[in-house]
Amino acid sequence: MSYSGALNPASEDYESRPHYYIGQHDSDRCEVLDDDQYNQVLNSGFNFVTAPITNQHFFRRVVDQHKEFLKERQEWNDRLAPAQRTNPSLPVPIVPTLTDEDTSLYPSHHIGSFITYASPWIDLCSTDPYISGVSRQVLNMEVAYANFCGARTIVIPGPRQDESGRGVAQFARAIQEALLQVTRANLIIHLPMYREPLLEEKCETLSDIFDGSRMDADPKKEIDIFTSWDSWHTIRSVCEYSSRLFLALRIPRRVPEKNLQERWFSEPLHFLTIGQSVFQSNRAGSPTLTKYHQDLINRYMRLKNAPWIILNDVGPNAEDLGAARAIKAIEYPSLAEASKALQERKPKSGLNEYVSYMKYLERQQPPYTAMETPALTSFQDWLQSPLQPLADNLESATYEVFEGDPVKYDQYEAAIKEAMAEWKILKKPSALGTESEPYNPELVCAVAGAGRGPLVTRVLRAAQATNTKIQLWAVEKNQNAFVYLLNKNKREWDGQVTLVKTDMRGWGGPVPRGSSTPCKVDILVTELLGSFGDNELSPECLDGIQNHLFQPSGMSIPHSYTAHLSPISTPRLFADIASRESDPHAFEIPYVVRLFQLDFNAQKVPNHPRFQQAWEFVHPVGVNRADEFAAEYGFGRKYVTPGGGAMYGSNGTNEHNARCCHLTFVCPTRGVTHGLAGYFESTLYESQLEGGGEGKRVEISILPDQIDRKSKDMISWFPIFFPLKKPLYFPQDAELEVSMWRQTDDTKVWYEWLVEVYAWVGPQTRIKVGASEMHSSKKVACLM
C-alpha cells in the first residue's frame, strides 16, 4: 500500500491538522553522524537525529577501570582482617575526565538539531554503591559536556525496574544533581508507558557486567501498569517539578487502558518513541500501527506543545549510512569503483517506509474542530486571574472576546423568546398592567451590565421574533462602554433603547414612556456569570437590582446556576504556579484557565459522579419583603438578610450568599492531585407551562460531560482552577474529600478549600492518609 499522495501537503486540509516532527534513533549508534550521514538521514524523511554523547572507547575505559578497581579492592581486602573488609570508607573509583578519544560530539552549526543521548549502560539504580557512584559520575560528565557543546536536549534512559524504591530514589537524586550541572539544556527521562513483558531494554549495563544477581522480570507475574508512572512521579517530585525536566514516553506494542493513557497525557511530554517492534505489517508488507495506537497518537498530538516522535531502529542503520562514506573514501571514483561500493553497501534511498507511513497518519488525523482554532489552542493551560467587573472597567478588546461566541448569545436569545412567548400564553400579570387588567402585552425589559450591547440586540431580536411589544432599558456603569452604547443606539437600534449610566445596584428603576414614576421590570437579562458561576459576583449584583422585578411574575435570565468541582492532576499548571516565586499568594488564586493537559482523578461510580455540584444560586432570591427592605435601606439597595451580625465583624447583609459543600470523589487508581477544576451550569429559562407544555428548558454548561448536549462549541467561559500548594498523593481505591466555602464580609467575596485523602482498610473502616493545607483566596478576594 502506498501512503503518499492521500492529501496534498500544501493544501488547506493538510494545514488544518497537527504536524508530526519525526526523528531517528539507532540503538547501536556509537558515534555522532558526520555531515554526509546526517544529510542521508534527513533525505530519508526524518527531521532530526539522535547522537550519543560518548562512544565505545569511553565505555571500555570505564569498564576496564572498574575491573582494575575491583581487583585492587580484593587485594586490599585480602590484607585486612575480616571485620574490616566491609569498611564503607574504603576508596571509591573516580572516573577520569573525558578525552577526544571518548567522544565524537563537538560544537557545530547543527548541534542544535541533535538530540543527545546519555549512555544507556550506566545504572544509577544499582544497589552496588560503586556501580551507582561510577554511573552518577559518568552522567554528570556527559550532561556537562553536551551542555558545553551547545546541545539543548539530553535524553537519559530511565530506571530499568520500578520495584526498588531505593533504586528509583537514587536515580531521582542523580537527575536532581544533573540539573545543576546544566544551565540551559532540558533533561528528558526516557520511560516506558508501562513495563511490557519481554520488551525491556536490551543494552547491557554495568550491573549486568559486574553483578549477575539481578533477575529479569517474571513474564507470568501480574502487571501493575502504573509502576512506571510511580517512578516518574518520584523523579519529578525530587526535582521539584523543574521546568527543564521532561518525559520521553516509549509507546508499547499493546496499548494500555484509557486511564493510563490520560495519566501520561497530563505529564510534560517531549517525545513519543516508537520502536520497530510496535509496527505491524499489512498485506503488502508495509509497516502499520493499530487503530488503538493511531488514536493514542492523535490524542497526544492535540497538545499545544505537541510531542515530537522518535522512531527507534527503523533505519537507515550504520551499514546503510556506510555506503556514502565508502564512496567518499575514493576521492575520484570511477563508475566501476562507485558501482562496486554501492553493491557492497547497498544503501537505501528515498523516503524511509516508516516515515512514509507516519506522514500518512499525519494526513489522516481528524481536522481541527471549532474548539481547536489557533486562538483557542494558544489558551491551553494558560493561567489568567479572574475578572473583577465590579471593581474594574473592562476594555473594548475584552468585550470583543466575549462577543465572539455566537453559541452563548443564541442560547440567551432562545431563553428570551421562550419567556416572551410563554408570557403571552399564560397572560401573566405585567409591570404595565393595571389592577383591573393585570396582563398587558407590552413588557418592560432591562439588560443590566450591558457592556457593548450584544444582549440588547438579542432582546430586540427576540421581541421581533415573538411579535412582542417591549420597552427596553440598558444599564451600564463603564463610562467608556456607555459612549459605545450611545452610538450603537443611534446606528443600530434606532433609538429604541433607554440607556442608563450607573452601577446596576444603584439604579432607580425604569420610568415608562408617558410616566414620571418608576415601574417594575418584567424580564431582567444579565451576563454576569463567571467560570464557577458566582465567582464574578453575579449573586451580589443581582441582589442589588432584583427589587425592580415585578412580583410575582417578573423573571431573571439566567434563572439559576450551579457550581461543580472535580479533583485533577495537572503537573504543568502546578509547575507554572510554583515558578511564580515573586507572588506569595500564587497558590491561593482561583485561576481561569482552559484546562487541557490534565487527568481527572475521580471516576464515575454510583452516587459519586466525576463532576459534583457544590452549590446553587436561584434568582430572584425570595423577595417577598424586598419592598420593605428597599424602603428601609434606600431604593435599589441589595437584598438584605434579616438578622444582626455575622462572621468577620460584618453586619451580615451578604450572608445569604455564603455557601459551603463537602464532596466525596472515588479514585480507583493511585495518583496525585494538584487542585480542583471548577465548572458551572446555568438554566437561563425554565418553562412555566404546566407539565412543561410546549415550552422547554434553555441551558448553558461548561461541564465536560454536558457541554456538547447543552451548549456545544461554546467558548465564552474557560474552567476555573483552585490549586493546591503541595501535590497530594493518594493510594489505589482512595476517596478524596473536598470541602469548599464561599465566604463574604459584605465588602468582598472569597473561597476557601481543603482536600483530604481517605483509604479503606476494611469493609467498614476508613483511615485518613493525607490532607492539604486550608487554602484561602481572601488576600485576592473579589471586591463588591
Side-chain angles (χ1 to χ4, degrees):
M1 175 180 177
S2 173
Y3 298 115
S4 61
L7 285 172
N8 180 0
S11 70
E12 182 178 348
D13 200 19
Y14 177 79
E15 294 296 329
S16 67
R17 292 166 170 80
H19 293 283
Y20 289 1
Y21 200 62
I22 303 172
Q24 188 250 23
H25 174 68
D26 186 347
S27 300
D28 297 327
R29 183 177 297 147
C30 301
E31 301 285 348
V32 178
L33 300 181
D34 61 29
D35 288 350
D36 289 334
Q37 293 172 325
Y38 176 65
N39 289 330
Q40 189 175 343
V41 173
L42 296 186
N43 290 337
S44 63
F46 293 98
N47 301 108
F48 62 94
V49 297
T50 63
I53 301 174
T54 56
N55 56 25
Q56 285 295 103
H57 181 275
F58 182 62
F59 169 67
R60 289 191 296 269
R61 188 157 68 87
V62 172
V63 170
D64 291 344
Q65 181 198 16
H66 197 69
K67 287 180 179 179
E68 186 65 25
F69 165 77
L70 294 178
K71 180 181 177 181
E72 292 176 357
R73 188 179 69 168
Q74 185 61 46
E75 294 174 352
W76 179 273
N77 284 336
D78 290 342
R79 295 194 297 267
L80 296 175
Q84 297 177 310
R85 292 176 182 175
T86 57
N87 186 349
S89 297
L90 291 175
V92 297
I94 303 298
V95 180
T97 186
L98 292 175
T99 70
D100 59 344
E101 294 182 328
D102 295 327
T103 181
S104 55
L105 181 71
Y106 297 99
S108 65
H109 65 277
H110 55 252
I111 185 69
S113 62
F114 282 149
I115 305 300
T116 54
Y117 256 72
S119 294
W121 43 264
I122 62 175
D123 188 358
L124 298 168
C125 299
S126 175
T127 56
D128 184 327
Y130 300 110
I131 291 178
S132 61
V134 167
S135 298
R136 181 175 57 82
Q137 294 178 58
V138 169
L139 177 64
N140 286 340
M141 292 169 64
E142 290 188 337
V143 298
Y145 180 70
N147 184 70
F148 161 78
C149 290
R152 293 296 167 259
T153 305
I154 305 171
V155 178
I156 302 173
R160 296 285 184 93
Q161 295 179 337
D162 306 307
E163 288 74 14
S164 172
R166 171 185 170 182
V168 175
Q170 282 183 181
F171 185 97
R173 191 228 173 266
I175 299 303
Q176 181 190 47
E177 188 176 85
L179 283 168
L180 300 176
Q181 296 289 328
V182 297
T183 55
R184 292 178 291 179
N186 295 324
L187 299 188
I188 319 294
I189 310 303
H190 194 189
L191 284 168
M193 206 168 199
Y194 67 95
R195 300 294 175 181
E196 199 169 19
L198 306 178
L199 288 176
E200 296 85 3
E201 295 281 354
K202 302 302 182 184
C203 178
E204 188 178 45
T205 67
L206 293 178
S207 292
D208 296 325
I209 297 172
F210 296 104
D211 180 8
S213 62
R214 192 178 71 178
M215 302 294 292
D216 292 332
D218 183 0
K220 297 182 180 180
K221 183 181 178 181
E222 183 179 355
I223 301 173
D224 182 349
I225 62 174
F226 282 92
T227 59
S228 184
W229 177 85
D230 285 336
S231 295
W232 163 250
H233 178 59
T234 299
I235 296 165
R236 60 97 175 277
S237 297
V238 169
C239 296
E240 298 180 326
Y241 287 74
S242 170
S243 61
R244 293 189 292 115
L245 184 66
F246 293 87
L247 179 69
L249 189 62
R250 192 172 77 213
I251 304 301
R253 294 184 63 180
R254 184 174 181 179
V255 177
E257 55 195 62
K258 199 72 173 178
N259 54 3
L260 182 60
Q261 294 181 40
E262 292 301 297
R263 178 70 57 83
W264 286 117
F265 177 80
S266 69
E267 301 293 350
L269 296 172
H270 200 300
F271 297 113
L272 299 179
T273 67
I274 308 175
Q276 187 180 40
S277 63
V278 176
F279 290 88
Q280 300 178 356
S281 296
N282 60 14
R283 294 179 180 179
S286 300
T288 62
L289 292 173
T290 69
K291 181 68 166 60
Y292 302 106
H293 286 93
Q294 295 175 36
D295 291 343
L296 183 148
I297 294 172
N298 288 344
R299 166 73 169 147
Y300 286 6
M301 295 304 292
R302 247 48 189 188
L303 290 167
K304 176 171 65 176
N305 298 316
W308 295 0
I309 296 173
I310 295 180
L311 301 182
N312 294 342
D313 303 323
V314 299
N317 56 30
E319 183 179 352
D320 300 327
L321 297 174
R325 180 176 290 177
I327 297 175
K328 185 180 178 182
I330 307 172
E331 187 173 1
Y332 298 104
S334 66
L335 290 177
E337 290 172 329
S339 177
K340 180 181 179 182
L342 287 173
Q343 288 176 359
E344 291 176 352
R345 296 294 183 173
K346 295 181 180 178
K348 296 181 180 179
S349 60
L351 197 64
N352 179 281
E353 59 179 347
Y354 291 90
V355 175
S356 179
Y357 175 71
M358 295 305 297
K359 291 293 185 182
Y360 166 77
L361 289 187
E362 178 185 40
R363 298 189 294 266
Q364 297 304 306
Q365 294 177 97
Y368 287 126
T369 67
M371 301 294 287
E372 296 176 305
T373 63
L376 285 176
T377 300
S378 69
F379 278 104
Q380 281 184 17
D381 302 302
W382 182 47
L383 297 168
Q384 307 170 69
S385 296
L387 295 174
Q388 293 227 25
L390 289 183
D392 303 323
N393 285 328
L394 304 182
E395 298 179 355
S396 180
T398 305
Y399 287 121
E400 190 171 359
V401 172
F402 297 156
E403 295 165 14
D405 184 2
V407 177
K408 173 179 70 173
Y409 293 109
D410 287 347
Q411 290 297 94
Y412 262 94
E413 184 175 338
I416 299 166
K417 286 180 182 177
E418 288 292 321
M420 290 179 174
E422 288 191 5
W423 204 296
K424 288 184 178 181
I425 296 172
L426 297 173
K427 295 190 180 299
K428 297 194 298 182
S430 52
L432 298 180
T434 62
E435 189 172 338
S436 59
E437 185 58 47
Y439 170 70
N440 188 320
E442 185 175 17
L443 301 180
V444 177
C445 301
V447 176
R452 301 201 315 175
L455 279 182
V456 176
T457 299
R458 297 297 180 137
V459 172
L460 293 172
R461 284 189 193 176
Q464 184 177 11
T466 58
N467 197 25
T468 302
K469 189 176 180 181
I470 64 170
Q471 294 189 34
L472 178 57
W473 274 259
V475 183
E476 176 54 51
K477 74 174 181 66
N478 185 340
Q479 68 271 16
N480 304 310
F482 187 74
V483 175
Y484 189 93
L485 290 173
L486 290 170
N487 187 36
K488 198 167 187 178
N489 195 25
K490 294 178 181 177
R491 290 185 297 103
E492 296 184 24
W493 300 330
D494 198 24
Q496 300 177 72
V497 184
T498 302
L499 303 176
V500 182
K501 184 201 164 298
T502 185
D503 188 314
M504 68 180 73
R505 296 168 295 178
W507 183 36
V511 179
R513 289 189 291 268
S515 175
S516 59
T517 58
C519 70
K520 299 293 185 178
V521 175
D522 294 312
I523 300 177
L524 174 65
V525 185
T526 58
E527 53 174 332
L528 305 168
L529 298 173
S531 297
F532 203 44
D534 56 80
N535 61 294
E536 293 183 11
L537 306 190
S538 176
E540 286 70 24
C541 292
L542 289 174
D543 279 353
I545 196 173
Q546 71 169 14
N547 57 353
H548 295 310
L549 277 175
F550 182 73
Q551 297 302 317
S553 52
M555 62 183 63
S556 168
I557 297 177
H559 166 65
S560 64
Y561 38 92
T562 53
H564 300 256
L565 290 168
S566 186
I568 61 172
S569 174
T570 172
R572 178 175 177 176
L573 292 186
F574 177 83
D576 187 351
I577 299 172
S579 67
R580 305 184 180 197
E581 298 176 355
S582 61
D583 185 356
H585 307 299
F587 277 103
E588 295 186 308
I589 298 174
Y591 294 95
V592 172
V593 54
R594 189 185 177 215
L595 295 172
F596 192 81
Q597 194 172 0
L598 80 161
D599 178 35
F600 291 105
N601 298 137
Q603 296 293 327
K604 180 181 179 181
V605 299
N607 301 319
H608 296 289
R610 171 176 278 180
F611 307 99
Q612 297 185 31
Q613 181 177 319
W615 49 66
E616 180 181 25
F617 286 91
V618 180
H619 300 288
V621 183
V623 290
N624 53 321
R625 298 180 63 196
D627 289 335
E628 176 185 335
F629 290 123
E632 181 178 352
Y633 291 95
F635 202 83
R637 284 295 299 273
K638 62 189 176 187
Y639 177 77
V640 181
T641 305
M647 296 177 65
Y648 306 104
S650 65
N651 61 18
T653 58
N654 198 40
E655 279 298 300
H656 63 291
N657 285 326
R659 295 288 189 275
C660 66
C661 69
H662 187 81
L663 310 173
T664 300
F665 296 90
V666 177
C667 306
T669 59
R670 62 185 178 273
V672 62
T673 186
H674 296 100
L676 306 171
Y679 306 88
F680 84 92
E681 288 192 305
S682 175
T683 299
L684 298 178
Y685 181 76
E686 187 164 11
S687 175
Q688 299 180 3
L689 296 175
E690 188 174 347
E694 298 180 356
K696 62 179 181 180
R697 173 184 292 186
V698 182
E699 299 174 281
I700 55 176
S701 174
I702 65 169
L703 273 173
D705 61 349
Q706 296 294 327
I707 186 171
D708 285 349
R709 184 174 67 88
K710 297 182 177 181
S711 45
K712 183 176 175 58
D713 294 337
M714 185 175 68
I715 59 173
S716 286
W717 292 276
F718 296 151
I720 197 167
F721 177 58
F722 298 91
L724 297 181
K725 293 179 182 178
K726 295 181 179 178
L728 187 60
Y729 184 85
F730 54 87
Q732 184 173 320
D733 295 322
E735 291 183 348
L736 298 182
E737 301 274 349
V738 174
S739 301
M740 181 172 280
W741 297 262
R742 185 183 197 265
Q743 302 280 44
T744 177
D745 64 359
D746 296 341
T747 62
K748 56 185 176 290
V749 172
W750 68 95
Y751 298 94
E752 296 174 359
W753 60 98
L754 169 73
V755 181
E756 301 168 284
V757 181
Y758 289 86
W760 289 94
V761 295
Q764 304 294 328
T765 308
R766 204 178 63 147
I767 62 172
K768 184 175 178 179
V769 296
S772 72
E773 297 181 32
M774 176 69 78
H775 297 69
S776 174
S777 64
K778 187 175 182 180
K779 295 289 180 61
V780 288
C782 295
L783 302 177
M784 294 168 56

